[in-house]
Amino acid sequence: MINVLLSGCNGKMGQVITRLADGFNGLKIAAGFDINNNINNPYPVFTSLKECNVKADVIVDFSNPKAFGGLIEFAQERKIPVVMCTTGLSSEQTHVLKDEVSKHIPVFFSANMSIGVNLLIDLVKKAAKVLEGQFDIEIVEKHHNQKIDAPSGTALAIADAINETLEEKCEYMYDRHSRRKKRGRQEIGIHAVRGGTIVGDHSVIFAGNDEIIEINHTATSKEIFGVGALKASLFLAAKRPGLYSMTDLIAEIK
């Protein structure tokens, strides 16, 4: 049985994971961490990591970038693997996580915890390789009106994956209203839509002469991210220090 320390347990995703974990084989949430302890959970919740005295095999973090430093320090001190699900990390925080922390403990990091989204990324990489030089590429992402960061980390991850596949690298174009000229050949347009309660929608459009190919993923519930995080916890618990992602998890499933 894998014991999970859930960081951000009283947030929306934390509560989704709390509910999902109840019927998830092979793990349980042993403790939670949240600065707001205003919800009754079936496990002890600490408002300070220094006070946490519960043994944990893996940390799942769905909190806030502001909590990053303290959480990572705690994880390294206790040698606990981390499944980092928090979005909106700065480039510096991402660098620390990937290039420094992963040398000491196992780190699972993915821009999106949905297995479906990561399969989409695999598909668009294959499409980009075949269609390079013949099709323009545009990415449109849609999220709820409470999302702060734009474009989404997933949209950027899709763009990065495409760019890594192409022989000629592309420039990311986020806003065209002030740029009064034709679309450049080596561009990837990235567009953000915010409204209502949209959980998450990502479309990759390959627009060519007289034909359009569109690959789309739509999330209708936050549960898909929770399931991905719990599967990542089972995957990561026994791993050696290093950086792991959904690509590694999907490969193991295969």
Side-chain angles (χ1 to χ4, degrees):
M1 182 67 68
I2 302 301
N3 291 319
V4 174
L5 171 59
L6 180 57
S7 173
C9 63
N10 287 338
K12 290 181 180 178
M13 275 308 306
Q15 288 299 291
V16 169
I17 291 174
T18 296
R19 178 168 49 80
L20 290 172
D22 188 48
F24 215 85
N25 291 329
L27 61 74
K28 68 175 183 178
I29 300 178
F33 164 64
D34 204 299
I35 58 173
N36 299 312
N37 191 10
N38 54 3
I39 295 177
N40 290 324
N41 291 294
Y43 48 79
V45 176
F46 300 90
T47 56
S48 170
L49 285 171
K50 293 179 181 179
E51 298 173 0
C52 182
N53 56 3
V54 176
K55 180 184 178 297
D57 301 306
V58 62
I59 297 170
V60 173
D61 181 51
F62 259 113
S63 59
N64 188 289
K66 293 179 181 178
F68 178 84
L71 181 78
I72 291 304
E73 182 180 351
F74 174 84
Q76 291 190 105
E77 284 179 355
R78 303 204 184 185
K79 304 294 182 184
I80 306 175
V82 176
V83 178
M84 179 56 65
C85 307
T86 295
T87 60
L89 295 181
S90 68
S91 56
E92 181 181 351
Q93 288 172 324
T94 302
H95 167 73
V96 168
L97 191 69
K98 290 182 175 181
D99 300 331
E100 298 178 19
V101 178
S102 65
K103 293 179 180 178
H104 306 288
I105 59 174
V107 172
F108 191 101
F109 182 67
S110 180
N112 191 297
M113 295 305 296
S114 160
I115 291 177
V117 163
N118 285 275
L119 287 174
L120 174 142
I121 291 174
D122 189 49
L123 290 172
V124 298
K125 285 170 66 176
K126 292 177 181 177
K129 189 171 184 179
V130 173
L131 304 174
E132 181 171 4
Q134 307 168 63
F135 286 68
D136 296 324
I137 304 171
E138 299 282 308
I139 299 169
V140 180
E141 58 96 344
K142 305 172 187 176
H143 284 88
H144 52 86
N145 58 22
Q146 300 301 303
K147 188 172 178 61
I148 297 172
D149 55 312
S152 69
T154 300
L156 292 173
I158 293 170
D160 288 344
I162 292 172
N163 227 1
E164 289 169 7
T165 302
L166 301 175
E167 291 187 11
E168 292 187 49
K169 303 308 175 189
C170 286
E171 172 191 6
Y172 298 167
M173 185 56 59
Y174 303 102
D175 183 9
R176 292 198 175 94
H177 87 277
S178 60
R179 190 170 179 174
R180 305 283 294 178
K181 58 181 179 180
K182 293 191 297 183
R183 185 192 199 279
R185 190 174 67 87
Q186 295 303 121
E187 286 183 13
I188 296 178
I190 304 177
H191 314 279
V193 176
R194 296 288 176 268
T197 58
I198 302 170
V199 175
D201 187 289
H202 293 85
S203 296
V204 184
I205 302 164
F206 295 90
N209 291 331
D210 304 321
E211 59 181 334
I212 298 170
I213 300 169
E214 185 169 351
I215 302 174
N216 173 262
H217 178 275
T218 300
T220 58
S221 165
K222 291 179 181 293
E223 286 196 6
I224 62 172
F225 310 121
V227 170
L230 292 174
K231 287 185 176 180
S233 300
L234 290 172
F235 167 85
L236 194 67
K239 291 292 186 287
R240 296 175 61 84
L243 182 64
Y244 303 89
S245 70
M246 269 295 173
T247 301
D248 302 301
L249 175 56
I250 291 171
E252 190 166 285
I253 292 173
K254 291 178 182 178

